[in-house]
């Protein structure tokens, strides 16, 4: 797969991700939940930290929430730059299409969430108890690098009390699937999943062409 085709994939994922986030941000209040079907909801939340809403300040108490957010955003930028160089390298070396595709969607997802973290604080007003305004006259809800990642995809497939006969967890309330995520998260998870499941195919070296021996 060429770098041009990989770029098209990245642009398409970024467009879907950002259009969905801008729509949610400008049509939903924070915490609003719209059930599409019983097992799929549009639920608007904002993620201020890492996966599952964790923050660096949760693990390192000497770091403030604001510093934690800045460090995380800068780390994400460095990481996506590294992934970008990796993508260029594997396309130049004509590695497998599986590897190039996986890296491309991981890059697109990481970049999508970085756009939120870097710019959304400047571009939007706060969503608490109101629908956010794009480019508000009195400024956004946070400075550069301190924006929050917009999440909206929720799949509450099943919830209830587990059977008593199950060891350790029997009789306890259980809910699947609680996390709320976005298109960028799906791209990152899918890319990582491809690299794990199709590891041998992804990292298989291209067949070497034999040079004819002169008689």
């Amino acid at each position: 797969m060429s770098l041009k085709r990989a770029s098209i994939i990245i642009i398409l994922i970024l467009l879907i991700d950002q259009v969905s986030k801008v729509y949610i941000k400008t049509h939903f209040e924070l915490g609003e939940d719209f059930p599409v079907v019983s097992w799929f909801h549009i639920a608007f939340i904002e993620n201020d930290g890492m996966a599952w809403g964790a923050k660096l300040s949760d693990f390192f108490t000497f770091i403030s929430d604001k510093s934690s957010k800045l460090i995380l955003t800068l780390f994400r930028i460095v990481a996506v730059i590294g992934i970008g160089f990796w993508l260029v390298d594997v396309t130049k070396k004509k590695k497998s299409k599986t590897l190039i595709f996986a890296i491309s969607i991981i890059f697109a997802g990481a970049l999508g969430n970085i756009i939120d973290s870097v710019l959304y604080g400047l571009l939007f007003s706060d969503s608490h108890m109101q629908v956010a305004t794009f480019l508000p006259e009195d400024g956004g809800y946070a400075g550069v690098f301190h924006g929050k990642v917009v999440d909206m995809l929720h799949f509450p497939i099943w919830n209830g009390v587990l059977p008593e006969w199950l060891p350790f967890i029997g009789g306890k309330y259980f809910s699947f699937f609680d996390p709320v995520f976005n298109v960028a998260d799906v791209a990152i998870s899918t890319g990582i999943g491809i690299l794990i499941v199709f590891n041998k195919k992804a990292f298989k070296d291209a067949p070497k062409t034999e040079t004819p021996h002169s008689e």
Side-chain angles (χ1 to χ4, degrees), residues 1-3 5-7 9-11 13 83 87 90-91 97-110 187 191:
M1 183 186 293
S2 66
L3 184 59
R5 290 187 177 181
S7 299
I9 292 170
I10 291 167
I11 291 169
I13 293 174
I83 297 170
L87 177 61
V90 295
T91 53
K97 292 181 179 179
T98 304
L99 178 61
I100 296 172
F101 177 76
I103 297 173
S104 298
I105 62 177
I106 291 172
F107 178 84

Side-chain angles (χ1 to χ4, degrees), residues 28-32 44-46 126-130 148:
F28 284 68
E29 294 181 9
L30 188 63
E32 190 173 347
F44 175 29
I45 69 167
E46 289 182 315
D126 187 52
S127 295
H128 183 66
M129 302 292 290
Q130 64 180 0
K148 298 177 182 179

Side-chain angles (χ1 to χ4, degrees), residues 28-64:
F28 284 68
E29 294 181 9
L30 188 63
E32 190 173 347
D33 188 316
F34 175 75
V36 180
V37 290
S38 61
W39 49 268
F40 172 50
H41 292 200
I42 300 296
F44 175 29
I45 69 167
E46 289 182 315
N47 183 1
D48 196 27
M50 300 178 289
W52 318 110
K55 303 176 184 177
L56 287 177
S57 53
D58 294 336
F59 305 97
F60 304 100
T61 54
F62 57 88
I63 301 177
S64 67

Side-chain angles (χ1 to χ4, degrees), residues 46-58 65 68-69 72-73 76 113 117 147-149 151 185:
E46 289 182 315
N47 183 1
D48 196 27
M50 300 178 289
W52 318 110
K55 303 176 184 177
L56 287 177
S57 53
D58 294 336
D65 286 350
S68 172
K69 176 64 179 176
L72 180 61
T73 301
R76 283 172 170 164
N113 283 337
S117 296
K148 298 177 182 179
V149 177
D151 295 323
D185 296 332

